[in-house]
Amino acid sequence: MKKAALLGCGIVGGGIAIIMNENAAYLEKSAGEPVELKYILELRDCSDQPWADKVVKDFAIIENDPEVSVVAECIGGVGVAYEFVKRALLAGKSVVTCNKQLIAERGLELLEIAKAQKVFLLFEASVGGGIPLLRPLTNCLSANRIESLRGIVNGTTNYILTQMIQCGVSLDAALAEAQKLGYAEANPAADVDGIDALRKICILVDLCFGSNLPPEKVPTEGIRAVTTEDAQFADRMGYAIKLLACAARQDGDRFTAYVAPQFIKTTSLLGNVNGVMNAVSVTGNAVGECLFYGAGAGRMPTASAMVADILDTFRRGNGKKFINWGPERPERFVHPDDVPSRWYVRWSGSCSAPFAAACITEGTHSAAVTEPMLRSALDEMLRGVEILSVFRVCD
């Protein structure tokens, strides 16, 4: 009998409890023996829940029980979640989590503890929710040198931008609708300001480029500056606007990473990912471009990924799981403004600006897409022009 414990039984944790109960026969077949959720750490009153008999209030009960070999963390944040995850690892228990903030900010430290204790720290659900992404990157694509990553990794902002283009509504109106449908929180800052996407690209960079990248080092821009007029210009020019989390190798062993709203051709794979769906495009030097697409969040998709990680620890037992995640090396990071890019520019006036070789005009505003150039060269070119919007263009 394999036994696990669950920390927090809210939205995702409740999904894990459901899956481990309803799919018990399938889990037993996959693990090779029966699987049991022995404890649920939950401080709320759960007396009316079918799993009420499993609830404990003291983490030490889980920590000191030798029968529990894996702990699933669904608390969130880097406060008590960090404390409990660290204690679980030090107690010789593997940990699975969907906590993107914890992994982005403390992943290197926790992975080193897991390695020393010869246990696992798995976090498949932290980036793509229910989309299989991290395991394919670290296993199926391990023969490749990953050249670039670009992804729509936040369903809330993708829904908002899709509504702005397809329905012509304002950002505020699209956000209100997203909140009404349950896609956005009452405080949507983590989504619309790009913080959620930032944490996810840091995890992907750490795994694919082998160097710890602190979130505070990554230039991050949310979608608050995107207007309905930008969405209309994008549509007329054959582009969609997407909040993209991007990373790419540069010369030698260096790389760049950033999060920003970008114009992307509607004929591209990512340009056709709409609504609340997520997708990540990965380019390897041998395999070429691969697209991982699906539900990037949600109770059951995320719980599904976490239960899969639990099964992975049961099947493997304690031992080595290699993740090429090294210490921070600031000299490897290239600021995105130091990498040439094409730019979408919208300004007040006609198509007479020096950078507007091919542009369109709507009312009193004009817009164009530039040739590849550094941001400093663009700023110099824009001197004296009343600029309304500037966004990167993803080729």
Side-chain angles (χ1 to χ4, degrees):
M1 172 77 74
K2 297 290 188 181
K3 298 186 179 184
L6 176 61
L7 309 184
C9 204
I11 294 175
V12 175
I16 292 173
I18 290 171
I19 291 173
M20 295 193 71
N21 178 52
E22 294 185 355
N23 293 2
Y26 298 99
L27 302 185
E28 179 179 348
K29 184 176 180 180
S30 180
E33 59 183 295
V35 172
E36 177 189 346
L37 184 59
K38 185 173 183 179
Y39 299 115
I40 297 176
L41 182 72
E42 181 58 70
L43 300 181
R44 296 173 299 173
D45 179 18
C46 303
S47 57
D48 60 340
Q49 298 296 323
W51 34 261
D53 61 320
K54 301 179 183 293
V55 173
V56 296
K57 308 289 186 182
D58 184 0
F59 177 71
I61 296 173
I62 297 170
E63 182 181 24
N64 296 319
D65 189 335
E67 289 191 335
V68 175
S69 61
V70 59
V71 173
E73 183 270 311
C74 296
I75 298 172
V78 291
V80 69
Y82 166 71
E83 176 192 346
F84 289 167
V85 167
K86 184 174 181 178
R87 285 169 59 182
L89 294 171
L90 289 171
K93 303 179 189 302
S94 293
V95 173
V96 306
T97 181
C98 60
N99 189 338
K100 64 189 75 70
Q101 182 181 4
L102 177 68
I103 299 303
E105 296 182 12
R106 302 295 182 91
L108 179 62
E109 174 194 354
L110 295 174
L111 282 167
E112 289 176 342
I113 294 173
K115 182 178 180 181
Q117 297 298 118
K118 298 183 179 180
V119 294
F120 299 142
L121 173 62
L122 303 182
F123 40 92
E124 179 65 58
S126 66
V127 175
I131 306 172
L133 177 60
L134 303 189
R135 191 173 284 105
L137 280 174
T138 55
N139 289 278
C140 305
L141 297 180
S142 60
N144 287 255
R145 182 183 67 246
I146 302 301
E147 302 292 349
S148 65
L149 305 150
R150 57 180 62 165
I152 299 166
V153 293
N154 183 273
T156 300
T157 52
N158 200 43
Y159 174 83
I160 291 170
L161 294 172
T162 299
Q163 291 295 103
M164 291 177 70
I165 287 182
Q166 295 185 354
C167 303
V169 300
S170 68
L171 187 148
D172 288 342
L175 172 58
E177 183 66 16
Q179 290 171 322
K180 180 181 177 181
L181 294 172
Y183 299 148
E185 301 290 340
N187 180 359
D191 296 322
V192 300
D193 292 332
I195 299 169
D196 177 75
L198 162 66
R199 292 165 177 160
K200 294 173 179 178
I201 195 61
C202 286
I203 295 171
L204 290 172
V205 165
D206 296 338
L207 290 175
C208 293
F209 298 156
S211 180
N212 190 59
L213 181 62
E216 62 270 17
K217 300 295 180 65
V218 181
T220 302
E221 179 185 353
I223 65 171
R224 293 186 192 270
V226 180
T227 68
T228 304
E229 191 166 14
D230 293 316
Q232 292 170 345
F233 272 116
D235 190 46
R236 286 188 57 187
M237 299 166 78
Y239 290 93
I241 306 177
K242 303 293 182 184
L243 182 70
L244 296 183
C246 299
R249 288 188 186 272
Q250 301 301 304
D251 56 297
D253 199 32
R254 305 178 78 198
F255 62 86
T256 189
Y258 60 93
V259 174
Q262 297 184 65
F263 276 47
I264 183 168
K265 281 289 187 181
T266 53
T267 53
S268 68
L269 292 173
L270 289 177
N272 285 284
V273 177
N274 295 315
V276 296
M277 302 305 285
N278 283 197
V280 177
S281 171
V282 179
T283 300
N285 69 323
V287 74
E289 183 180 14
C290 297
L291 184 73
F292 298 87
Y293 170 88
R299 182 185 204 188
M300 299 311 290
T302 305
S304 170
M306 289 193 68
V307 174
D309 274 349
I310 291 172
L311 291 176
D312 197 15
T313 67
F314 286 158
R315 285 192 294 261
R316 294 171 181 265
N318 289 351
K320 181 180 180 183
K321 183 174 179 65
F322 178 72
I323 293 180
N324 183 29
W325 189 330
E328 180 186 1
R329 292 175 56 192
E331 73 279 4
R332 293 187 61 194
F333 185 74
V334 179
H335 195 284
D337 285 353
D338 294 328
V339 178
S341 173
R342 294 202 301 152
W343 302 88
Y344 159 84
V345 181
R346 179 169 62 90
W347 67 96
S348 178
S350 64
C351 293
S352 58
F355 53 86
C359 75
I360 58 176
T361 298
E362 185 72 41
T364 60
H365 296 169
S366 299
V369 173
T370 73
E371 293 300 315
M373 64 180 67
L374 296 177
R375 180 59 193 257
S376 58
L378 177 67
D379 290 341
E380 182 64 30
M381 189 176 290
L382 297 181
R383 287 182 182 274
V385 180
E386 185 181 350
I387 299 301
L388 304 172
S389 299
V390 176
F391 297 112
R392 292 180 187 272
V393 176
C394 180
D395 291 314

